[in-house]
Structures are given as C-alpha cells and as structure tokens.
Amino acid sequence: MMRDDISLRELLEMSPTQLNYNEICKLDEEQRQQYASLLERFQQANNCNATTKEKGDALEELVAFLLNASGGIFRVSKNVRTATNEIDEIIELEGIGKVLGALNLIPARLTEFLGECKNYGGTIGVTYVGKFYSLLQTTCMNTGILFSYRGISGKGWADGSGLVRKIYLQREKIDERIAIIDFSYMDFKSILEGHNFLEIVEGKLKALRYDTSIDEFITPHPAEISFRPNGYIHE
C-alpha cells in the first residue's frame, strides 16, 4: 500500500517494480478483510428482498472504501450539487497521486473523473447511459465510471454497451473522446482475486479504445486469491 507520508525523494528512488499498480494499490490484510465484508454485504443486498436504499447504501459504501483504499491517491467528493445536477462522486488525484500522474504512472483520464452508483434491479440501459453522457458533457469531463451490480446492458454494439462505444467514437481526437466505464460486481469481486482498481480501469479504457475484450489486458496476478461467498482463502 502506498504510504500517505512518502517523500518525493523516496518516490523517485523507487524502482519501476515498486511503482507498478500492484504495489500502488496494494491492500493490507485489515483492508482486505474489510473489503471482503463490504463486498459480501453488497452481494447479499442484491440477492434478497433488500430495499432500494439498502442496496444503494451497500454500493456507495463499497465504492467509497475501494477508492480510498486504492493507494490513498484519490480524493472523493460526494453528492456535489451544481446549478442543474447532483453528482454522486467527483474523484481527483491528490498528494502522491498527483506526482504519480505527472510521472505518467496513472492514466491521464484518471486525473479527474466522475463516479455514479446505480444499483438497479437489472442492468443499466440505454436511457441512463445517455443521461450519464449528458452529465459528463455538462461538467466537461471526459471520463466517468458507472458502478453497479449487474453492469451495463448488452454486449458489443448492442443496447447500453453499444451506446457507450458510439459515444466514445464521436470525437476524432482520442484525448477528447468521452469514455464511460462499466464497473460491476464481477469487477469488485476480481479485487479479491488479486487485481486492483487501477489495473481494471486501465484495461477497460484500452478495451474501449481498441474495440476488444478487457481480457486482453488483464492477466492473472501471481498472488491470486479465490473468492468464496463468505470470504476468501489463499490458494
């Protein structure tokens, strides 16, 4: 886990191996156990008769913990009101995160982005993808992450997933394209299997850019963990 009090000199003296995503976002044992508990609560809320509020609270708490625990490099501003909208989360790099961004160790798109928690009973459809796109345009953001349980509807060019791709291809310059990232239960679960937030999101950004599967960019972690409904065990 990246220390909050690390100095610039210490950072510059680190090797590339120490500065890879696995080290930047590494969860300690206490964080891993807390994350596993929050993930289990999130799963249970979506597989029982929990209220909409209970489902929403479980998702928001899980997202907040994940972002804050991912190396301590993000600052999360919640429920930000503008003249026309309320934004679930504005996420920005802070402290060491800004230094890592300046060194191109974190994707430029993650310098500042929007997060939206949508815990629907089903998948997220075209209508809400369109609304989120409108919000990104209004706030002049080029990247947003939709956190949910079942993810965006469709595959490839169908339904919500198809609209995400069409939105991304609207602008000619890659840096100006609007990227909407789908972060669902399976992605949350993969954190316990040895992956991390930065690795997953960068893989999804590459998959969107190259119109391919995220599996092309996510490889098994050497310390991979097997997920179990009531926790996790090391293989």
Side-chain angles (χ1 to χ4, degrees):
M1 180 178 63
M2 185 67 66
R3 290 179 9 230
D4 293 335
D5 61 345
I6 190 170
S7 69
L8 179 59
R9 181 174 180 176
E10 287 178 296
L11 182 66
L12 293 175
E13 289 176 348
M14 285 182 173
S15 68
T17 301
Q18 291 175 298
L19 289 173
N20 66 27
Y21 287 169
N22 296 326
E23 290 301 317
I24 293 172
C25 296
K26 187 175 183 179
L27 302 181
D28 61 31
E29 191 61 26
E30 182 179 351
Q31 288 174 321
R32 189 179 293 278
Q33 289 181 9
Q34 188 173 349
Y35 180 81
S37 177
L38 291 171
L39 182 62
E40 183 178 6
R41 179 191 169 204
F42 178 49
Q43 182 189 33
Q44 290 177 345
N46 283 275
N47 288 282
C48 68
N49 294 321
T51 65
T52 300
K53 184 179 187 306
E54 288 171 337
K55 291 179 181 180
D57 288 347
L59 174 57
E60 289 179 13
E61 190 173 358
L62 179 62
V63 170
F65 183 86
L66 175 60
L67 291 172
N68 288 320
S70 293
I73 59 177
F74 293 116
R75 178 172 72 247
V76 182
S77 301
K78 297 181 65 177
N79 302 320
V80 179
R81 291 186 178 275
T82 69
T84 56
N85 297 285
E86 180 175 275
I87 302 168
D88 278 6
E89 296 130 353
I90 297 178
I91 301 106
E92 305 166 272
L93 291 179
E94 70 169 354
I96 296 301
K98 290 183 178 180
V99 178
L100 295 172
L103 294 173
N104 295 320
L105 294 171
I106 295 175
R109 284 181 174 272
L110 298 186
T111 300
E112 185 179 33
F113 60 96
L114 297 188
E116 190 85 2
C117 295
K118 301 307 293 183
N119 210 13
Y120 285 165
T123 54
I124 298 172
V126 169
T127 300
Y128 193 80
V129 170
K131 289 181 179 179
F132 192 48
Y133 168 59
S134 178
L135 178 61
L136 289 168
Q137 283 189 305
T138 301
T139 54
C140 297
M141 294 279 195
N142 68 1
T143 304
I145 300 180
L146 281 173
F147 298 99
S148 69
Y149 187 77
R150 292 182 174 82
I152 294 174
S153 64
K155 292 182 179 180
W157 291 90
D159 303 318
S161 294
L163 181 56
V164 166
R165 291 170 183 250
K166 292 172 185 176
I167 287 170
Y168 182 76
L169 293 173
Q170 272 192 327
R171 299 178 183 180
E172 183 176 353
K173 294 183 179 179
I174 292 174
D175 292 344
E176 295 178 359
R177 292 178 179 178
I178 293 180
I180 295 176
I181 301 301
D182 180 13
F183 204 100
S184 68
Y185 172 76
M186 295 305 296
D187 300 303
F188 286 113
K189 178 182 172 183
S190 71
I191 301 293
L192 285 183
E193 295 170 347
H195 299 294
N196 61 71
F197 179 74
L198 288 178
E199 175 192 18
I200 293 168
V201 172
E202 184 175 48
K204 288 176 178 285
L205 287 170
K206 287 181 178 178
L208 189 58
R209 177 175 178 179
Y210 299 115
D211 191 20
T212 187
S213 168
I214 185 176
D215 294 335
E216 298 288 329
F217 306 105
I218 300 293
T219 56
H221 188 278
E224 191 158 316
I225 295 168
S226 292
F227 178 83
R228 295 293 182 269
N230 296 318
Y232 58 93
I233 59 173
H234 291 278
E235 286 189 335

